[in-house]
Amino acid sequence: MNLSHRPRRLRRDGIRGLVSETDVNASDLIAPVFVDATADERIPIESMPGHERVPVDDAVARVEEVLDTGVEAVMLFGIPESKNARGTRAWAEDGVVQEATRRVAAETDAYVLTDVCLCEYTDHGHCGVLEEGAGPSEDADARLTVRNDETLDLLGKIATSHAAAGADMVAPSSMTDGMVGAVRESLDAAGFSDVPVMSYAAKYESAFYGPFRDAADGAPAFGDRRHYQMDPANAREAVREVRRDVEQGADVLMVKPALPYLDIVREIREEFDHPVAAYNVSGEYAMLHAASEKGWLDLEEVALESLLSIKRAGADLILTYFAEDVAESL
Ligand code: PBG
């Protein structure tokens, strides 16, 4: 029996902290915030306990609550007052995210990121302009697909309108081919060459987005997003997909969701030297809450362990609905 190696020696209190390889800090976290132009009071989001849609007038107060916990960055999502086929409220100067960004940028010290997408703004709930595609289906709706190149122009307009309102960073999330380049070009042309782009670079077609779609009212009215978001079966494709975004000028590379895709987080970490972000999505949050409500898991502990695992896999920053709770418990 050779017991010269006793790893337990370094697991005692007093030494654990000195040898720990990973930690989670409030400064690694971004808190998603939902601003709702149709609300005149805060509306709790049932499937995401502790989160609310807040009216535009409450956006500053909501962000101040985040800052009070030690978290320094927020990602703003908007629910517009009206929707239409092209999602035109997504780039309106007086749109919900533009208005909230303007106020939060002027009145708080938060670092403001914005989600650049169309699904919350289109009446069909898809992430771009639709066209009827070819296909075997008898059902015309089932043959509809997102018109890629026309959507690029709209994403550029949205990103520029967010930057004009004062966004510190924009995050295109529509999985349109060429989205990072289109957003970069529009920003540069409008004089926002200093505004970085965080690409939702490897975004999977995931059932873990369910609660978010309630929160942001962005569920597709028909069909799904498998024509543009990535197939959960594919890992090599993620490297290819992310490389395109790097070539187009992405500053930060995001993998989404986080926990079921930690292999992808690791892979992107090893393959590229850009900062890597992971989005610990709504379903990852909801399931831990549901289990803890039943008394089956300790919420504070599993939340921290989740974020630690995401950091350990290689993420530098994490978007998470646990941001405030975890920052407060640190
Ligand atoms: C918009 C967008 C979505 C999420 C973030 N941005 C929804 C989707 O792609 O269906 C999901 C975030 C979450 O589940 O927490 N495209």
Side-chain angles (χ1 to χ4, degrees), residues 32 34 48 77 115-120 127 173-174 200 203-204 206 208-213 218 220 225 229 256 279-283 321:
F34 297 97
M48 297 168 65
F77 290 97
D115 182 81
V116 174
C117 199
L118 282 149
C119 55
E120 289 116 67
C127 305
S173 70
S174 57
Y200 283 71
K203 176 172 177 179
Y204 284 87
S206 170
F208 286 100
Y209 306 150
F212 174 93
R213 292 177 184 175
R225 305 206 208 283
Q229 297 181 348
K256 177 183 171 197
Y279 199 143
N280 178 227
V281 301
S282 57
Y321 303 98

